Amino acid sequence: MNDIKVKVKDLSLRYGTNLALKGISMDIPEKMVTAFIGPSGCGKSTFLRTLNRMNDLIDNVSIEGEVFIDNTNIYDKNIDVVNLRKKVGMIFQKSNPFAKSVYDNIAFGPRINGISNKSNLDEIVERSLQQAAIWDEVKDRLFHSALSLSGGQQQRICIARSLAVNPEIILMDEPASALDPISTAKIEELIDELKKKYTIIIVTHNMQQAARISSKTGFFYLGKLIEYNATEKIFTNPDVKQTEDYITGRFG
Amino acid sequence: MVEKRHTSTHYERELRDVKESLLYLGALVEKAIELAVKALLDRDTEIARKVICDDNTIDQLDVEIEEKCIRILALRQPTARDLRYITTAIKINGHLERIGDMAANIAEKAIILSGEPPMKPYIDIPRMAEIARAMIKESLDALVNEDTNLAQKVRVEDETIDNLNEQVFRELLTFMLEDPKNIHRSLIIMQISKSLERISDHAVGIADMVVYMVTGKSVRHAPACESQE
């Protein structure tokens, strides 16, 4: 049984007067893949963003409840949000490498954190690209622009970039939805490898992807967490009828 | 031709695990048949009881394999040859479990017969058992090697067993007509012969599923009668 990495207690979120998340509570285990599924607008991406306080960047957002990472409430007043976002990295649906070389993309985070020694940076860049399963493809093009790579490769550069600052948790918001099946399969195989070291939390509108790669799945609907269970249970015999209706395609 | 491996090594392992479990189950049921017939020939009730008891292991493995297949269907949404493979595996699993039940039935009959004086030496029964065991092995080899020719051979061997079964029936009929005291034992021996005949039908079922898995064509059912013009 894995330890609990993230403990969410009764979390609610409003965009202005609009109640987007309603009393969410869940325990997310470490070094496993947890997936959130649900229809568009159900709150799963909003919820994901509460885990590294990305919603702070949106005006008019108010939050109630608590999010504990390793027993520390990340919404406490004295939390260093920049440090939080190193520890809890994020990968977005549309890959967003900087308009810089592959090398500079990966070295960016470490450099900001004060690492300037070239051989240290070289080592970090190579290690991160190896971990993101893209080293072989880019090792001879490290100083070419990251934007010259394919969509699937750019996404793996973004993953390598987040790995370079030693996260503990990696949040992924539909990381493969813009990719072709082969690139998607490579990303999924990469996630399978990464979960040995990192806690992975992924939002996906592709239920089959959640079924393939996650150990636990949460089903969200209209801002509420309807069911949160072992993935195998969700997809063979869910507890809640609404979950079963959704995954069997009975959308009503 | 070496098939390409799936991109997900985890999935590849899951598929291989199902095959290995089926082969293990096949080995268990083959052994069960061997021991059940040995119990009959040697009039050994201890061996017979072991076969009956060991059927629990076969039943448990049947449930485990089925759960593995359901899990793959739910979580991997297999298509094309993977889908045919998993549906084939589920059916083969069912055939093997029934073969295990037949072996246990034979063992039960062996216990009954051991309590009565022997009627005649067994010649056809052990022959049928040997052919049936070979058919199970060949059908599973056909699965592993995706060999439709071997699968077809299994179908042909079934005719030999059918003929032997009829031969046994005819011979036992003469014993029953000769002396009513032979009826009880003869009927039990006929049931054993029938069990072996059903085992060979299940082996054919496995072979037919292998053909379906490889070609996508279902060869399970021959037409029952000529269609009227």
Side-chain angles (χ1 to χ4, degrees), chain A residues 192, chain B residues 5 8-18:
Chain A
D192 205 45
Chain B
R5 296 171 71 86
S8 165
T9 47
H10 206 155
Y11 182 33
E12 192 67 41
R13 258 199 318 272
E14 287 170 11
L15 292 173
R16 210 172 48 231
D17 187 33
V18 166

Side-chain angles (χ1 to χ4, degrees), chain B:
Chain B
M1 188 186 86
V2 176
E3 286 293 347
K4 279 194 200 147
R5 296 171 71 86
H6 196 279
T7 311
S8 165
T9 47
H10 206 155
Y11 182 33
E12 192 67 41
R13 258 199 318 272
E14 287 170 11
L15 292 173
R16 210 172 48 231
D17 187 33
V18 166
K19 193 172 281 183
E20 283 166 9
S21 301
L22 282 174
L23 293 178
Y24 180 57
L25 181 56
L28 286 181
V29 306
E30 268 185 70
K31 192 74 188 166
I33 298 168
E34 181 194 340
L35 290 179
V37 172
K38 183 171 168 45
L40 174 72
L41 298 180
D42 295 352
R43 298 165 67 78
D44 189 333
T45 54
E46 213 174 290
I47 292 184
R49 273 188 209 101
K50 186 176 184 316
V51 172
I52 293 166
C53 212
D54 286 350
D55 194 46
N56 286 338
T57 308
I58 288 171
D59 290 345
Q60 270 168 34
L61 191 46
D62 162 53
V63 170
E64 261 175 49
I65 293 173
E66 187 177 82
E67 282 174 355
K68 282 179 189 172
C69 291
I70 300 281
R71 190 173 187 280
I72 290 175
L73 286 173
L75 301 186
R76 298 287 182 179
Q77 307 91 41
T79 53
R81 58 181 271 255
D82 286 346
L83 179 60
R84 294 199 307 274
Y85 166 64
I86 292 296
T87 49
T88 291
I90 291 174
K91 288 210 147 195
I92 288 179
N93 190 36
H95 282 302
L96 289 173
E97 190 273 328
R98 285 302 293 149
I99 291 173
D101 286 346
M102 297 290 109
N105 287 346
I106 293 172
E108 279 168 16
K109 304 294 181 286
I111 293 177
I112 296 172
L113 285 172
S114 72
E116 304 204 20
M119 205 171 69
K120 61 176 277 305
Y122 298 109
I123 310 221
D124 292 328
I125 298 278
R127 244 191 97 200
M128 286 172 77
E130 217 178 283
I131 297 173
R133 284 176 57 208
M135 285 168 71
I136 296 168
K137 186 174 183 312
E138 282 162 8
S139 65
L140 292 176
D141 283 345
L143 170 71
V144 168
N145 298 317
E146 300 189 14
D147 185 346
T148 52
N149 291 330
L150 188 53
Q152 178 57 23
K153 180 170 180 280
V154 172
R155 262 191 164 260
V156 169
E157 284 164 338
D158 183 49
E159 288 176 31
T160 310
I161 297 249
D162 287 346
N163 292 336
L164 281 171
N165 184 41
E166 279 179 29
Q167 198 169 292
V168 165
F169 176 75
R170 282 194 301 271
E171 193 188 349
L172 290 171
L173 200 48
T174 64
F175 275 91
M176 287 192 280
L177 291 170
E178 215 172 76
D179 184 353
K181 283 207 282 291
N182 290 336
I183 290 176
H184 182 230
R185 284 169 294 176
S186 298
L187 289 177
I188 294 177
I189 296 171
M190 269 170 55
Q191 285 177 325
I192 292 175
S193 179
K194 187 68 190 162
S195 291
L196 288 167
E197 191 267 328
R198 288 180 65 190
I199 286 174
S200 103
D201 283 347
H202 281 297
V204 169
I206 294 171
D208 286 349
M209 285 313 299
V210 172
V211 172
Y212 166 68
M213 182 187 84
V214 173
T215 66
K217 289 202 185 77
S218 179
V219 297
R220 290 196 330 266
H221 304 293
C225 57
E226 301 292 333
S227 56
Q228 306 285 341
E229 287 296 300

Side-chain angles (χ1 to χ4, degrees), chain A residues 95-106:
Chain A
S95 55
N96 56 357
F98 304 133
K100 294 171 178 291
S101 68
V102 169
Y103 186 101
D104 286 338
N105 262 278
I106 312 303

